[in-house]
Amino acid sequence: LPFKDLTVKSAADLRRIFDEGLILEDSERIITFRLKTFQALIDRLVSLSGSNIAKVLFHQLGNEVGQAGMRYSKDQIQSENDLGPVLDNVLKNRGWGTCLGIDVKKQNNKQIFVATMHNCPLCFGLKSSEPQCDFVRGIVSGWIEGYMARKASIDSTETECVATGGKNCIFEISYME
Ligand SMILES: [Zn+2]
């Protein structure tokens, strides 16, 4: 099989063991809560810590999620071209929306990874004057950093957000060359 065919994996097997209070994805235990509950939890943290600290915290938490995802997906990734499709598959399996692509562009002395996300759960149903998706920004940066095996050298940014009227949420992760 060509490699691309291997990355198109159908949904993981989900199984409830109701009496034990367990949900298994293949053999891994997962937990679930409603998206609205997750968004309420995020709101609570923003109101407790202020939006500047919350921005850093969510980015760091998401970054750990992205790095963890890369750790268990690394064997599916042969080149930069696989970064988007494999992330897309991970997100789809987990209900975190889709990754429409991760493009790499060169600009001045920078290498910029541009990730386009659709149905991002952070800003789902929200309206705002500023991008809202620091957790997903962290996931994307952790994903790229895990692949590159080094930290991005420039702060990542969300250049377009559905909450501010964009069609998708778009994130840039940049490295000085
Ligand atoms: Zn967004």
Side-chain angles (χ1 to χ4, degrees):
L1 279 175
F3 178 72
K4 281 283 171 258
D5 292 345
L6 296 175
T7 64
V8 182
K9 190 179 141 203
S10 58
D13 179 45
L14 281 185
R15 200 157 53 93
R16 272 178 216 279
I17 306 174
F18 188 80
D19 289 343
E20 296 288 331
L22 298 175
I23 302 176
L24 301 179
E25 182 191 74
D26 295 329
S27 58
E28 291 280 334
R29 183 177 176 186
I30 65 164
I31 59 170
T32 73
F33 33 82
R34 291 182 179 201
L35 182 55
K36 285 199 161 87
T37 307
F38 178 66
Q39 289 177 332
L41 200 143
I42 293 218
D43 281 349
R44 178 71 68 97
L45 201 140
V46 171
S47 70
L48 285 171
S49 72
S51 58
N52 289 342
I53 290 174
K55 241 179 142 53
V56 175
L57 284 176
F58 289 130
H59 177 257
Q60 289 294 323
L61 293 174
N63 191 276
E64 183 51 42
V65 171
Q67 302 247 11
M70 178 53 68
R71 280 197 291 277
Y72 71 69
S73 306
K74 206 151 200 174
D75 59 348
Q76 298 176 57
I77 296 176
Q78 314 293 319
S79 76
E80 285 172 4
N81 296 333
D82 301 325
L83 285 170
V86 176
L87 179 59
D88 184 54
N89 194 57
V90 172
L91 295 170
K92 282 176 175 166
N93 263 310
R94 302 190 167 278
W96 279 68
T98 69
C99 174
L100 300 182
I102 297 180
D103 297 318
V104 191
K105 60 181 184 184
K106 309 263 178 192
Q107 204 172 73
N108 303 324
N109 298 322
K110 285 184 284 185
Q111 182 184 26
I112 307 172
F113 293 84
V114 183
T116 303
M117 318 296 272
H118 190 64
N119 279 333
C120 162
L122 273 295
C123 61
F124 192 77
L126 301 183
K127 291 267 170 277
S128 169
S129 57
E130 282 178 45
Q132 294 295 304
C133 313
D134 297 299
F135 196 94
V136 170
R137 181 169 60 86
I139 291 177
V140 174
S141 69
W143 182 255
I144 303 293
E145 288 172 359
Y147 171 73
M148 297 287 279
R150 63 193 172 100
K151 285 268 165 209
S153 39
I154 300 168
D155 280 348
S156 57
T157 54
E158 182 174 10
T159 59
E160 186 178 315
C161 178
V162 172
T164 63
K167 197 165 163 238
N168 298 301
C169 294
I170 302 179
F171 303 90
E172 292 195 356
I173 316 300
S174 306
Y175 289 87
M176 297 302 292
E177 300 228 286

